[in-house]
Amino acid sequence: MPGPLSHITVIELAGIGPGPFACMLLADLGAQVIRIDRPPVATKGGIDDLMRNDSIVDRGRRSVALNMKDPRAVEAALRLVEQADILVEGFRPGVAEKLGLGPAQCHARNRRLVYGRMTGWGQTGPLAQAAGHDINYIALSGALHSIGPADRPIPPLNLVGDYGGGGMLLALGVLAALSEAQRSGQGQVVDAAMTDGSALLMAAQYGLLAKGHWQDARESNFLDGAAHFYGTYDCADRKHVAIGAIEPQFYRRLLDLCGIDDPQFQHQLQQKEWPALRAKLADVFRTRTRAQWCDLLEGSDACFAPVLSMSEAADHPHNAARGTFVNEGGVVQPAPAPRFDRTPSALPPKAPRTGEHTRDLLQRVGFSQDEVEVLVAAGVAHEAIR
C-alpha cells in the first residue's frame, strides 16, 4: 500500500475511541496495521461490534482473532509483536500486563518496539483507574468549560478528547518515539492521556488568559461566540452561515459586501458593543437564504462559509475539487490527510471482519498450517464468521 509509512508495522490491541482513530491515521498513511481482536461473537444482530468502531475508523486493518485467556494466544500475539515497530493499546493501566502483553513483556521480545498507551486520565495519578469518557477528560482540562453558551457547556462531539487530544496526540507520540528508536535502537513507552492532550489543545486560550486577554467564562471572548464578527447566523431559510472576520481588513470587507454602513459597526473590538452588533448582524443575515449569501460572500475576504451538514459537505465544490471526501462502495468518508507529493497516500481497504486474516497472519509469524489448524480447533484462534 502506498504512503510515507508503508515500511511500518503496527499492532493494535482492539478497543474503542482514540486508539482505533490513531491506528486509522497510521493506516491511512500506509502503515500495515494488524489488529488483535477478541473472538467474534454471533448475536441476533450479527457480529458483536461493541468493541469495534464503525467501518470508516476501522479501515486499513488486517484482523487476527485470539482468545487471550489462553497462553497459546498470548504467545501468538508476542510473535506478531516481534516483527512490529509500534504497538497501540487503550486499556486501563495494568490490564495489558495482566494479559501478558505489557511493555516489559513485549520489550523482552522486541527491544525496538514503540509501545503506545492511550487512556483518558493517563497511566498515573489519582484518577488513573477510574472509568470515564471524552466528556469527562475534557472537563478536567478546562476545555469543556470554555465551549458553549453562557448558561452551560456543550460537549463538542468527541473531537477534543477522543480524537484531537487523544488519537492524534498518540499518533504523533508513537511516530516521534519511532524516529528516536531508529537512531538509538531502543523502543519506549508513550503515555498519551486525553486530559493532557485536551489541555494542550487549549494552549492558545491559556496563553491569552495569562496575559489578561481572555475571560474564564463562556461567551465572553472573541472566539467563543460573544463577538459579532466570529460566529454563526440564521438565514432566511433557517440554514446557517459562519463568519470569522477577525482582522480589520476582513471585517471591513464583510461590512462592505453586506452593505452595512451603520457607524456603530466601527466599534469592532469594543466588547460592550458586541451584543447589540450581534443582534443587528443577525437581522442582516436573516434577509437572504444561505445560497444567496454564498453567491455574495463565498470566496471573498469576508471570512465566510456556509454551515454544511454532513450529508452536504462532500458535494461542496471546494471539497469535491480537493477530493476531501471519497465514496467507496457507497460509503462517503473522509479521505486520508494530509497530502504528500512524493509518497501519496491512498484510501486503505475497508474494515475487515473480525478474524478475517487469522490464518494468514499466524503463518507469517512462523506457525505451520497444521499448528494453525490446532489453534483454531482448540478455540485459541478464530476465523471470521461468515
Side-chain angles (χ1 to χ4, degrees):
M1 180 179 163
L5 298 183
S6 59
H7 60 297
I8 300 302
T9 298
V10 179
I11 301 298
E12 174 188 6
L13 303 186
I16 59 174
F21 181 71
C23 289
M24 184 200 78
L25 297 176
L26 299 175
D28 282 359
L29 299 185
Q32 175 180 281
V33 180
I34 298 171
R35 188 180 60 219
I36 299 179
D37 277 309
R38 295 181 179 183
V41 178
T43 64
K44 291 182 180 180
I47 303 301
D48 180 2
D49 284 332
L50 289 178
M51 294 305 296
R52 297 274 302 280
N53 271 296
D54 60 44
S55 60
I56 295 174
V57 176
D58 278 343
R59 67 191 183 195
R61 287 14 172 232
R62 307 192 79 204
S63 171
V64 54
L66 298 172
N67 178 6
M68 299 304 294
K69 295 179 180 180
D70 192 299
R72 291 171 291 180
V74 176
E75 173 59 27
L78 287 171
R79 288 204 201 179
L80 290 166
V81 167
E82 288 175 356
Q83 299 184 11
D85 302 288
I86 296 168
L87 180 143
V88 169
E89 62 96 354
F91 303 126
R92 293 196 205 191
V95 171
E97 285 84 348
K98 291 179 181 178
L99 289 174
L101 293 173
Q105 294 142 321
C106 290
H107 282 144
R109 305 289 282 264
N110 180 355
R111 69 186 183 94
R112 297 175 62 92
L113 181 75
V114 171
Y115 195 104
R117 315 200 82 165
M118 184 76 256
T119 59
W121 309 112
Q123 296 296 313
T124 59
L127 294 176
Q129 290 295 334
H133 280 294
D134 177 292
I135 192 171
N136 310 118
Y137 311 134
I138 70 173
L140 206 69
S141 68
L144 181 58
H145 171 81
S146 305
I147 300 170
D151 63 332
R152 65 190 176 100
I154 297 292
L157 303 181
N158 65 333
L159 303 179
V160 174
D162 271 355
Y163 288 172
M168 284 192 175
L169 183 73
L170 177 63
L172 172 65
V174 296
L175 292 178
L178 181 62
S179 176
E180 193 281 334
Q182 292 171 340
R183 179 184 61 81
S184 68
Q186 298 183 41
Q188 60 183 303
V189 175
V190 178
D191 175 3
M194 284 178 263
T195 49
D196 299 344
S198 59
L200 195 61
L201 292 176
M202 292 287 291
Q205 283 69 39
Y206 275 107
L208 291 169
L209 182 67
K211 293 192 295 184
H213 298 319
W214 191 270
Q215 297 184 52
D216 202 7
R218 288 178 302 283
E219 282 195 322
S220 301
N221 303 282
F222 72 100
L223 292 178
D224 64 2
H228 62 291
F229 53 84
Y230 198 91
T232 59
Y233 289 93
D234 295 329
C235 301
D237 54 0
R238 303 302 300 274
K239 295 181 180 180
H240 298 84
V241 296
I243 300 297
I246 299 174
E247 294 84 351
Q249 68 273 26
F250 301 149
Y251 180 70
R252 183 70 257 168
R253 186 60 176 155
L254 173 68
L255 299 182
D256 290 344
L257 288 173
C258 290
I260 297 173
D261 56 7
D262 184 336
Q264 188 178 14
F265 277 90
Q266 301 307 312
H267 305 299
Q268 178 189 0
L269 300 180
Q270 293 185 19
Q271 192 165 351
K272 66 180 182 179
E273 304 284 353
W274 288 354
L277 292 174
R278 172 168 280 280
K280 288 185 176 183
L281 198 54
D283 288 341
V284 171
F285 278 109
R286 279 194 288 266
T287 63
R288 305 187 190 203
T289 66
R290 189 183 71 181
Q292 289 171 328
W293 284 116
C294 286
D295 290 340
L296 179 65
L297 298 176
E298 195 165 24
S300 75
D301 279 353
C303 299
F304 165 92
V307 178
L308 303 178
S309 69
M310 291 171 62
S311 59
E312 293 174 316
D315 294 327
H316 188 276
H318 183 80
N319 291 335
R322 285 188 57 81
T324 301
F325 295 89
V326 294
N327 188 323
E328 184 70 17
V331 177
V332 176
Q333 55 192 287
R339 316 294 176 87
F340 299 84
D341 71 343
R342 190 170 54 80
T343 58
S345 302
L347 185 70
K350 68 179 183 179
R353 291 174 298 144
T354 299
E356 183 174 338
H357 308 100
T358 294
R359 288 180 178 274
D360 177 59
L361 289 171
L362 291 181
Q363 290 183 43
R364 287 193 179 198
V365 294
F367 289 93
S368 68
Q369 184 173 348
D370 289 342
E371 288 173 322
V372 172
E373 293 290 350
V374 170
L375 293 176
V376 171
V380 177
H382 293 254
E383 296 182 276
I385 296 176
R386 300 184 183 278

